[in-house]
Structures are given as C-alpha cells and as structure tokens.
Amino acid sequence: MPDRADPVRPEDVPPRWIAQHRPPEQALFSGIYGLVLASALAAALDATGEKADPGPDALWVLLTALASGAAHGYAHVIAQRASADRAATTSRRQLVFAEWPLVAAVLPTVAMLLAAVAGWWAESTAVDVALVFNTVALFGWGTWAARSAGHSRPSSCLAGGLDMVIGLVIIVANALIK
C-alpha cells in the first residue's frame, strides 16, 4: 500500500487560501494610496495651537478621498482615451468606480475622528491612533500582497515592513513639524 503522506509544499508557494484571495492589483494600489493619503491628511489636521474641530476635519478627509478617487479614476479615463488602443472595453464609469478602495481606506481614519466628535477621545489622540493604525495596515497589505504573489514568509514580512516605512515617515515628519 502506497504511503499517503501529505505533499510537502515549498516555502515560497503561498497556501491555497492566500492564493485564492489575492487582492486585485487595482484594489491593492488604491487601498495603499488611500492609507497613505489618510495618514498625510490626519497628520496635517493636528496643528499645534489650533482649536480642535474633528467633525469638519473628518468631513475634509472623506471629501479629499472622494475627490482623489474621482480624479484618479478620471485620469484613467483620459489615459484610456488617449491611448493607441482605441478598442478598450472598460467603461468610463467602471474606471472611476474602480477607485473605491482609496475611499474605503480612509474610512477608519474618518471613524476615529468621528469618535473624537462623540467625545470618546481628543482629536490629537484620534490622529495618533489613526497614524498607527494606517501604518500597521500598510504592513498588513504589503505582507498580504507579497505572500499572495508567492513570496516566502520572511520576504513577505520584509515587503510589508518596507510599506510600513511610508507610514513611519509620516509619523516622524508629523512629530518633527509640530
């Protein structure tokens, strides 16, 4: 009777679940872009000497994300229109709506600012928590993307760490500027 041992999977091959749940490239791009945008906006909101007003600040973060997503999607429309491949089949509406991960990525930051409106914490605390959350999320997205692309665990963590550096740069810049 043949031995029925489980096959050994090489280290650089991601588990089946990860390979099946690989994020689409556009969603990954827009999500990471949204996290960086949310971090930069949150850092800019927390100005020393200004009266904290987290409600309008949350609205500005959301509106900026919506405007950025629409502008980025419209840039795709313009690029497609100008491309030599006139047979492109993606509708203009689909190109603009494909930027939804950018808006979704700023929602945790908006929620944290709204928690400051509710009095759960000060706006400066909301900004600090949002910066840390977004930095950790950058690590997670970078690691997930690398792992789903077939990288080993150490290589995926390195990729996530490099993505996380963007968030850390924003945190350090925020601390130095204020």
mmCIF file of all heavy atoms in Angstrom, residues 108-137:
data_model
loop_
_atom_site.group_PDB
_atom_site.id
_atom_site.type_symbol
_atom_site.label_atom_id
_atom_site.label_comp_id
_atom_site.label_asym_id
_atom_site.label_seq_id
_atom_site.Cartn_x
_atom_site.Cartn_y
_atom_site.Cartn_z
ATOM 1 N N PRO A 108 -11.440 54.190 8.217
ATOM 2 C CA PRO A 108 -11.036 54.056 9.627
ATOM 3 C C PRO A 108 -10.547 55.378 10.229
ATOM 4 O O PRO A 108 -10.863 55.692 11.380
ATOM 5 C CB PRO A 108 -9.911 53.014 9.595
ATOM 6 C CG PRO A 108 -10.199 52.211 8.378
ATOM 7 C CD PRO A 108 -10.754 53.193 7.378
ATOM 8 N N THR A 109 -9.828 56.170 9.459
ATOM 9 C CA THR A 109 -9.370 57.472 9.941
ATOM 10 C C THR A 109 -10.559 58.384 10.198
ATOM 11 O O THR A 109 -10.624 59.072 11.225
ATOM 12 C CB THR A 109 -8.398 58.106 8.930
ATOM 13 O OG1 THR A 109 -7.268 57.245 8.773
ATOM 14 C CG2 THR A 109 -7.931 59.481 9.382
ATOM 15 N N VAL A 110 -11.513 58.385 9.271
ATOM 16 C CA VAL A 110 -12.731 59.182 9.458
ATOM 17 C C VAL A 110 -13.469 58.717 10.712
ATOM 18 O O VAL A 110 -13.919 59.537 11.519
ATOM 19 C CB VAL A 110 -13.634 59.099 8.207
ATOM 20 C CG1 VAL A 110 -14.995 59.722 8.457
ATOM 21 C CG2 VAL A 110 -12.953 59.770 7.013
ATOM 22 N N ALA A 111 -13.573 57.410 10.908
ATOM 23 C CA ALA A 111 -14.263 56.878 12.090
ATOM 24 C C ALA A 111 -13.562 57.304 13.372
ATOM 25 O O ALA A 111 -14.228 57.633 14.371
ATOM 26 C CB ALA A 111 -14.348 55.353 12.011
ATOM 27 N N MET A 112 -12.250 57.320 13.371
ATOM 28 C CA MET A 112 -11.512 57.731 14.566
ATOM 29 C C MET A 112 -11.732 59.208 14.867
ATOM 30 O O MET A 112 -11.851 59.607 16.028
ATOM 31 C CB MET A 112 -10.042 57.395 14.414
ATOM 32 C CG MET A 112 -9.792 55.896 14.453
ATOM 33 S SD MET A 112 -8.108 55.491 14.027
ATOM 34 C CE MET A 112 -8.318 53.813 13.443
ATOM 35 N N LEU A 113 -11.795 60.019 13.828
ATOM 36 C CA LEU A 113 -12.092 61.440 14.029
ATOM 37 C C LEU A 113 -13.526 61.637 14.516
ATOM 38 O O LEU A 113 -13.794 62.494 15.359
ATOM 39 C CB LEU A 113 -11.843 62.218 12.735
ATOM 40 C CG LEU A 113 -10.371 62.379 12.344
ATOM 41 C CD1 LEU A 113 -10.240 62.904 10.924
ATOM 42 C CD2 LEU A 113 -9.648 63.286 13.332
ATOM 43 N N LEU A 114 -14.444 60.833 13.993
ATOM 44 C CA LEU A 114 -15.833 60.926 14.453
ATOM 45 C C LEU A 114 -15.970 60.471 15.906
ATOM 46 O O LEU A 114 -16.826 60.968 16.640
ATOM 47 C CB LEU A 114 -16.752 60.125 13.540
ATOM 48 C CG LEU A 114 -16.931 60.710 12.122
ATOM 49 C CD1 LEU A 114 -17.785 59.786 11.272
ATOM 50 C CD2 LEU A 114 -17.513 62.116 12.171
ATOM 51 N N ALA A 115 -15.122 59.544 16.327
ATOM 52 C CA ALA A 115 -15.111 59.143 17.736
ATOM 53 C C ALA A 115 -14.677 60.315 18.618
ATOM 54 O O ALA A 115 -15.152 60.452 19.750
ATOM 55 C CB ALA A 115 -14.200 57.940 17.938
ATOM 56 N N ALA A 116 -13.810 61.162 18.074
ATOM 57 C CA ALA A 116 -13.419 62.372 18.811
ATOM 58 C C ALA A 116 -14.588 63.352 18.890
ATOM 59 O O ALA A 116 -14.765 64.044 19.895
ATOM 60 C CB ALA A 116 -12.207 63.025 18.150
ATOM 61 N N VAL A 117 -15.412 63.403 17.843
ATOM 62 C CA VAL A 117 -16.613 64.239 17.867
ATOM 63 C C VAL A 117 -17.546 63.756 18.976
ATOM 64 O O VAL A 117 -18.141 64.566 19.699
ATOM 65 C CB VAL A 117 -17.353 64.209 16.502
ATOM 66 C CG1 VAL A 117 -18.704 64.900 16.585
ATOM 67 C CG2 VAL A 117 -16.499 64.843 15.412
ATOM 68 N N ALA A 118 -17.655 62.448 19.124
ATOM 69 C CA ALA A 118 -18.520 61.861 20.150
ATOM 70 C C ALA A 118 -17.945 62.031 21.557
ATOM 71 O O ALA A 118 -18.613 61.722 22.535
ATOM 72 C CB ALA A 118 -18.742 60.375 19.855
ATOM 73 N N GLY A 119 -16.733 62.520 21.657
ATOM 74 C CA GLY A 119 -16.124 62.753 22.961
ATOM 75 C C GLY A 119 -15.405 61.550 23.543
ATOM 76 O O GLY A 119 -15.067 61.539 24.723
ATOM 77 N N TRP A 120 -15.181 60.521 22.736
ATOM 78 C CA TRP A 120 -14.506 59.320 23.232
ATOM 79 C C TRP A 120 -13.032 59.573 23.499
ATOM 80 O O TRP A 120 -12.426 58.897 24.316
ATOM 81 C CB TRP A 120 -14.679 58.159 22.268
ATOM 82 C CG TRP A 120 -16.096 57.700 22.129
ATOM 83 C CD1 TRP A 120 -17.175 58.125 22.861
ATOM 84 C CD2 TRP A 120 -16.599 56.750 21.208
ATOM 85 N NE1 TRP A 120 -18.309 57.499 22.441
ATOM 86 C CE2 TRP A 120 -17.989 56.636 21.415
ATOM 87 C CE3 TRP A 120 -16.029 55.982 20.217
ATOM 88 C CZ2 TRP A 120 -18.802 55.794 20.691
ATOM 89 C CZ3 TRP A 120 -16.824 55.136 19.483
ATOM 90 C CH2 TRP A 120 -18.195 55.045 19.727
ATOM 91 N N TRP A 121 -12.458 60.513 22.762
ATOM 92 C CA TRP A 121 -11.074 60.902 22.970
ATOM 93 C C TRP A 121 -10.832 62.239 22.286
ATOM 94 O O TRP A 121 -11.686 62.738 21.556
ATOM 95 C CB TRP A 121 -10.090 59.843 22.475
ATOM 96 C CG TRP A 121 -10.278 59.348 21.058
ATOM 97 C CD1 TRP A 121 -10.780 60.041 19.990
ATOM 98 C CD2 TRP A 121 -9.961 58.062 20.548
ATOM 99 N NE1 TRP A 121 -10.791 59.266 18.867
ATOM 100 C CE2 TRP A 121 -10.288 58.044 19.179
ATOM 101 C CE3 TRP A 121 -9.422 56.929 21.100
ATOM 102 C CZ2 TRP A 121 -10.099 56.925 18.371
ATOM 103 C CZ3 TRP A 121 -9.229 55.818 20.287
ATOM 104 C CH2 TRP A 121 -9.566 55.834 18.951
ATOM 105 N N ALA A 122 -9.680 62.821 22.527
ATOM 106 C CA ALA A 122 -9.338 64.109 21.925
ATOM 107 C C ALA A 122 -8.956 63.898 20.461
ATOM 108 O O ALA A 122 -8.565 62.795 20.053
ATOM 109 C CB ALA A 122 -8.168 64.739 22.675
ATOM 110 N N GLU A 123 -9.063 64.971 19.679
ATOM 111 C CA GLU A 123 -8.709 64.851 18.263
ATOM 112 C C GLU A 123 -7.247 64.461 18.095
ATOM 113 O O GLU A 123 -6.909 63.651 17.226
ATOM 114 C CB GLU A 123 -8.980 66.155 17.509
ATOM 115 C CG GLU A 123 -8.657 66.020 16.023
ATOM 116 C CD GLU A 123 -8.954 67.260 15.210
ATOM 117 O OE1 GLU A 123 -9.032 68.360 15.777
ATOM 118 O OE2 GLU A 123 -9.100 67.110 13.985
ATOM 119 N N SER A 124 -6.366 64.979 18.928
ATOM 120 C CA SER A 124 -4.945 64.621 18.805
ATOM 121 C C SER A 124 -4.733 63.128 19.049
ATOM 122 O O SER A 124 -3.914 62.496 18.379
ATOM 123 C CB SER A 124 -4.089 65.447 19.764
ATOM 124 O OG SER A 124 -4.476 65.201 21.103
ATOM 125 N N THR A 125 -5.489 62.554 19.962
ATOM 126 C CA THR A 125 -5.406 61.108 20.204
ATOM 127 C C THR A 125 -5.950 60.350 18.998
ATOM 128 O O THR A 125 -5.366 59.340 18.583
ATOM 129 C CB THR A 125 -6.190 60.724 21.471
ATOM 130 O OG1 THR A 125 -5.675 61.475 22.567
ATOM 131 C CG2 THR A 125 -6.077 59.236 21.763
ATOM 132 N N ALA A 126 -7.048 60.838 18.430
ATOM 133 C CA ALA A 126 -7.614 60.198 17.238
ATOM 134 C C ALA A 126 -6.611 60.206 16.095
ATOM 135 O O ALA A 126 -6.459 59.203 15.382
ATOM 136 C CB ALA A 126 -8.902 60.906 16.822
ATOM 137 N N VAL A 127 -5.920 61.308 15.932
ATOM 138 C CA VAL A 127 -4.910 61.408 14.869
ATOM 139 C C VAL A 127 -3.774 60.428 15.130
ATOM 140 O O VAL A 127 -3.339 59.708 14.218
ATOM 141 C CB VAL A 127 -4.389 62.860 14.741
ATOM 142 C CG1 VAL A 127 -3.143 62.925 13.867
ATOM 143 C CG2 VAL A 127 -5.484 63.763 14.194
ATOM 144 N N ASP A 128 -3.299 60.379 16.369
ATOM 145 C CA ASP A 128 -2.204 59.451 16.703
ATOM 146 C C ASP A 128 -2.615 57.998 16.456
ATOM 147 O O ASP A 128 -1.858 57.219 15.881
ATOM 148 C CB ASP A 128 -1.765 59.635 18.158
ATOM 149 C CG ASP A 128 -1.093 60.975 18.399
ATOM 150 O OD1 ASP A 128 -0.681 61.627 17.419
ATOM 151 O OD2 ASP A 128 -1.000 61.375 19.591
ATOM 152 N N VAL A 129 -3.817 57.641 16.894
ATOM 153 C CA VAL A 129 -4.304 56.273 16.694
ATOM 154 C C VAL A 129 -4.464 55.981 15.206
ATOM 155 O O VAL A 129 -4.109 54.896 14.732
ATOM 156 C CB VAL A 129 -5.630 56.043 17.462
ATOM 157 C CG1 VAL A 129 -6.258 54.714 17.102
ATOM 158 C CG2 VAL A 129 -5.386 56.125 18.963
ATOM 159 N N ALA A 130 -4.976 56.941 14.452
ATOM 160 C CA ALA A 130 -5.137 56.749 13.007
ATOM 161 C C ALA A 130 -3.789 56.545 12.321
ATOM 162 O O ALA A 130 -3.660 55.680 11.442
ATOM 163 C CB ALA A 130 -5.872 57.942 12.391
ATOM 164 N N LEU A 131 -2.795 57.309 12.727
ATOM 165 C CA LEU A 131 -1.464 57.151 12.122
ATOM 166 C C LEU A 131 -0.881 55.774 12.412
ATOM 167 O O LEU A 131 -0.322 55.125 11.517
ATOM 168 C CB LEU A 131 -0.520 58.252 12.615
ATOM 169 C CG LEU A 131 -0.817 59.664 12.122
ATOM 170 C CD1 LEU A 131 0.098 60.676 12.796
ATOM 171 C CD2 LEU A 131 -0.690 59.753 10.614
ATOM 172 N N VAL A 132 -1.031 55.306 13.631
ATOM 173 C CA VAL A 132 -0.527 53.971 13.988
ATOM 174 C C VAL A 132 -1.332 52.895 13.251
ATOM 175 O O VAL A 132 -0.751 51.956 12.684
ATOM 176 C CB VAL A 132 -0.552 53.757 15.513
ATOM 177 C CG1 VAL A 132 -0.268 52.314 15.871
ATOM 178 C CG2 VAL A 132 0.440 54.686 16.191
ATOM 179 N N PHE A 133 -2.651 53.019 13.254
ATOM 180 C CA PHE A 133 -3.499 52.046 12.560
ATOM 181 C C PHE A 133 -3.125 51.967 11.077
ATOM 182 O O PHE A 133 -2.970 50.876 10.520
ATOM 183 C CB PHE A 133 -4.983 52.424 12.700
ATOM 184 C CG PHE A 133 -5.893 51.523 11.914
ATOM 185 C CD1 PHE A 133 -6.360 50.347 12.470
ATOM 186 C CD2 PHE A 133 -6.276 51.845 10.613
ATOM 187 C CE1 PHE A 133 -7.198 49.493 11.741
ATOM 188 C CE2 PHE A 133 -7.104 51.007 9.877
ATOM 189 C CZ PHE A 133 -7.570 49.833 10.442
ATOM 190 N N ASN A 134 -2.997 53.112 10.423
ATOM 191 C CA ASN A 134 -2.675 53.122 8.994
ATOM 192 C C ASN A 134 -1.298 52.538 8.721
ATOM 193 O O ASN A 134 -1.095 51.850 7.709
ATOM 194 C CB ASN A 134 -2.785 54.540 8.438
ATOM 195 C CG ASN A 134 -4.210 55.054 8.421
ATOM 196 O OD1 ASN A 134 -5.166 54.287 8.503
ATOM 197 N ND2 ASN A 134 -4.358 56.365 8.337
ATOM 198 N N THR A 135 -0.353 52.769 9.622
ATOM 199 C CA THR A 135 0.990 52.217 9.460
ATOM 200 C C THR A 135 0.966 50.693 9.578
ATOM 201 O O THR A 135 1.577 49.984 8.768
ATOM 202 C CB THR A 135 1.952 52.837 10.490
ATOM 203 O OG1 THR A 135 1.973 54.256 10.287
ATOM 204 C CG2 THR A 135 3.354 52.278 10.355
ATOM 205 N N VAL A 136 0.229 50.194 10.555
ATOM 206 C CA VAL A 136 0.091 48.738 10.706
ATOM 207 C C VAL A 136 -0.659 48.153 9.503
ATOM 208 O O VAL A 136 -0.307 47.077 8.998
ATOM 209 C CB VAL A 136 -0.608 48.393 12.039
ATOM 210 C CG1 VAL A 136 -0.958 46.917 12.123
ATOM 211 C CG2 VAL A 136 0.275 48.802 13.214
ATOM 212 N N ALA A 137 -1.680 48.858 9.019
ATOM 213 C CA ALA A 137 -2.420 48.393 7.842
ATOM 214 C C ALA A 137 -1.525 48.354 6.608
ATOM 215 O O ALA A 137 -1.641 47.435 5.783
ATOM 216 C CB ALA A 137 -3.635 49.281 7.589
#
